[in-house]
Amino acid sequence: MFTRFAPVCRWLALGLVAGMCLHVAAAAEEPGHVLTYKVPGGFKFEARKVRTLERVEGFYIARLSSGTTERFDAFNVGATVDLGALQTANLRQVDDIAQAKAVEQRTAAVIKQHPALAPQVAPYLTGLRADIARAERGERKFDGQWLTAEQVAEKYARERSTVKRGELRLRNGTSYRDVEVVSVNKQELRIMHADGAARIPMHLVPEEFQREYLKTAQPPAAAR
């Protein structure tokens, strides 16, 4: 019985693997641009997707996914959309949200005027609207990572702490200016500062700094 269905199972498995590979490829693909173009003598605009798009005098120069280039007469181009502009890496401030809304509204207006763009642009536009909705609920996006309202408040409080006041003075008297924490573990603190970089044993880091910025629950004991 199982022998009879073995070929079917193999085809299904191959189809599943192929689908997964295509999904990964699509996810890694650059957003690129889409444009509507009317073939000379044609009656309707058709959508084209390209990797890069540059306006040069009376033409658009496009680089295709194959690596070749194609030239479009600007007179026959109805609309262009930069898909990368619909992907937000940062939604930190109110101004960022307002800018994202402006991009969403402009893009929606372009799609309304050129429906041929909808299949290519809709997934990116849906993602942008979802990001805006999250930001309006109080979340914020920092370099592609979402933080809750509580995490944002904690982040800003931390940035107003000791390290942002410009100086870190160690227990042995050494001090550093313009300090930025690179990493921390139980043994050491790594920082960038005005004169370079440093690796500092944790027993030299003052308790105030550990408590306020590093949030260390139990600071290491002082050196013997």
Side-chain angles (χ1 to χ4, degrees):
M1 177 178 178
F2 291 105
T3 304
R4 183 190 310 169
F5 291 103
V8 177
C9 294
R10 280 198 299 270
W11 280 110
L12 288 174
L14 288 172
L16 179 61
V17 171
M20 292 173 64
C21 292
L22 286 173
H23 177 73
V24 171
E29 184 182 357
E30 297 178 11
H33 296 70
V34 290
L35 69 154
T36 53
Y37 182 69
K38 183 188 293 184
V39 178
F43 297 98
K44 66 176 183 178
F45 286 96
E46 296 181 357
R48 294 287 302 275
K49 184 175 182 181
V50 298
R51 293 183 66 179
T52 63
L53 189 65
E54 182 182 5
R55 178 71 181 264
V56 179
E57 297 181 348
F59 297 90
Y60 284 94
I61 307 300
R63 184 164 61 94
L64 310 182
S65 57
S66 62
T68 59
T69 59
E70 188 171 348
R71 189 172 71 167
F72 298 92
D73 189 331
F75 182 78
N76 293 314
V77 174
T80 65
V81 175
D82 179 359
L83 298 176
L86 300 178
Q87 295 183 316
T88 56
N90 293 287
L91 283 173
R92 304 183 181 188
Q93 308 292 338
V94 174
D95 288 347
D96 296 333
I97 302 173
Q99 183 177 354
K101 284 184 175 181
V103 171
E104 184 272 331
Q105 291 171 0
R106 287 197 301 268
T107 306
V110 170
I111 291 179
K112 185 176 181 180
Q113 187 176 0
H114 295 270
L117 289 172
Q120 299 279 7
V121 178
Y124 294 90
L125 193 57
T126 298
L128 178 62
R129 287 167 173 163
D131 280 359
I132 293 172
R134 290 185 70 170
E136 289 185 325
R137 291 196 296 268
E139 297 180 68
R140 290 295 183 267
K141 197 175 186 181
F142 290 80
D143 299 325
Q145 180 181 2
W146 282 100
L147 301 180
T148 64
E150 293 77 13
Q151 290 171 326
V152 171
E154 182 180 347
K155 176 180 176 65
Y156 285 144
R158 198 164 60 235
E159 290 178 350
R160 291 191 295 269
S161 67
T162 305
V163 69
K164 291 300 178 182
R165 291 202 293 269
E167 183 180 15
L168 169 59
R169 185 177 296 275
L170 304 183
R171 287 172 172 162
N172 63 3
T174 303
S175 63
Y176 298 95
R177 296 177 295 108
D178 300 329
V179 173
E180 178 183 350
V181 173
V182 176
S183 66
V184 61
N185 57 47
K186 292 181 179 180
Q187 287 73 41
E188 67 177 14
L189 171 68
R190 297 186 181 187
I191 64 170
M192 298 294 294
H193 56 89
D195 301 314
R199 298 170 64 170
I200 305 168
M202 283 299 291
H203 67 260
L204 293 179
V205 181
E207 291 187 17
E208 176 193 358
F209 187 91
Q210 295 188 45
R211 183 170 55 252
E212 183 179 358
Y213 185 81
L214 303 179
K215 309 298 182 183
T216 305
Q218 295 180 335
R224 296 179 181 177

